Amino acid sequence: MDKKTTDNQNDKTLLLEGIMKKVETFHLTPYEISKNTGLSDTGVRKLLDGKTKNPSFDTLNRIAKYIDTIENSPEKCNEKTVDLELINRKLDFVISKLEKFENRMEANELIQEIMFELQKNSSSPEELKKIEKGLSKKNISS
């Protein structure tokens, strides 16, 4: 395989990885993507499932362009995407480390700082309540 072919394959791989992350972030379905790009639902589904091994640049660019319109829409610009499961997994990890602290007071202060940061960055009161509920279950007793 020559260098140009390898570079093209690397570019496709990077573009596809970016698309996959954004599809997950925006919870896009193959149907929604196909409806807005003119691509077939089956083709998009195979691409997202990893069954298409060598998608064309045209296909990837059409999907990327559609995702960019979503990402840059006024509604999305003001919306903060929060993955509560990811936050809770990370909190579990941090708290498991904090539980090993000798000084329980410092650990609880750190947890309070984490909550303060989450409050500042929370996009909705409902999300914050879910985070607080998860955190209170994990709170370290003094």
Side-chain angles (χ1 to χ4, degrees):
M1 200 179 309
D2 65 2
K3 183 172 175 17
K4 185 175 181 179
T5 305
T6 304
D7 288 346
N8 282 341
Q9 194 58 43
N10 289 340
D11 291 345
K12 282 184 185 181
T13 301
L14 290 173
L15 185 55
L16 182 58
E17 286 172 0
I19 287 170
M20 297 300 281
K21 286 178 186 173
K22 290 179 181 181
V23 164
E24 187 177 322
T25 298
F26 295 120
H27 308 288
L28 301 174
T29 64
Y31 173 76
E32 182 181 357
I33 293 169
S34 69
K35 186 175 118 181
N36 291 287
T37 61
L39 299 168
S40 75
D41 180 46
T42 304
V44 173
R45 187 174 310 282
K46 285 181 179 180
L47 177 77
L48 298 178
D49 289 342
K51 293 179 182 170
T52 302
K53 299 299 178 198
N54 191 18
S56 71
F57 267 118
D58 178 59
T59 298
L60 295 174
N61 285 326
R62 286 167 75 174
I63 295 171
K65 186 176 179 181
Y66 168 63
I67 291 172
D68 285 345
T69 64
I70 293 172
E71 193 172 34
N72 296 320
S73 69
E75 304 86 48
K76 290 292 180 192
C77 288
N78 295 324
E79 181 181 304
K80 293 181 183 176
T81 305
V82 176
D83 182 345
L84 295 178
E85 287 181 31
L86 177 63
I87 288 174
N88 276 322
R89 282 195 307 272
K90 289 185 177 195
L91 283 174
D92 284 340
F93 173 77
V94 169
I95 290 172
S96 71
K97 297 296 182 188
L98 290 173
E99 288 173 335
K100 295 176 183 168
F101 273 27
E102 293 295 321
N103 186 336
R104 297 281 185 215
M105 184 73 121
E106 285 180 18
N108 281 325
E109 286 175 10
L110 187 52
I111 289 173
Q112 293 307 314
E113 282 185 49
I114 292 169
M115 275 308 302
F116 177 72
E117 287 300 316
L118 288 171
Q119 288 171 342
K120 283 192 334 190
N121 295 302
S122 178
S123 61
S124 75
E126 295 80 29
E127 286 177 351
L128 185 59
K129 285 180 184 173
K130 288 179 185 176
I131 293 167
E132 285 175 338
K133 188 175 183 180
L135 189 58
S136 67
K137 287 180 186 176
K138 302 168 186 118
N139 203 0
I140 301 168
S141 57
S142 297

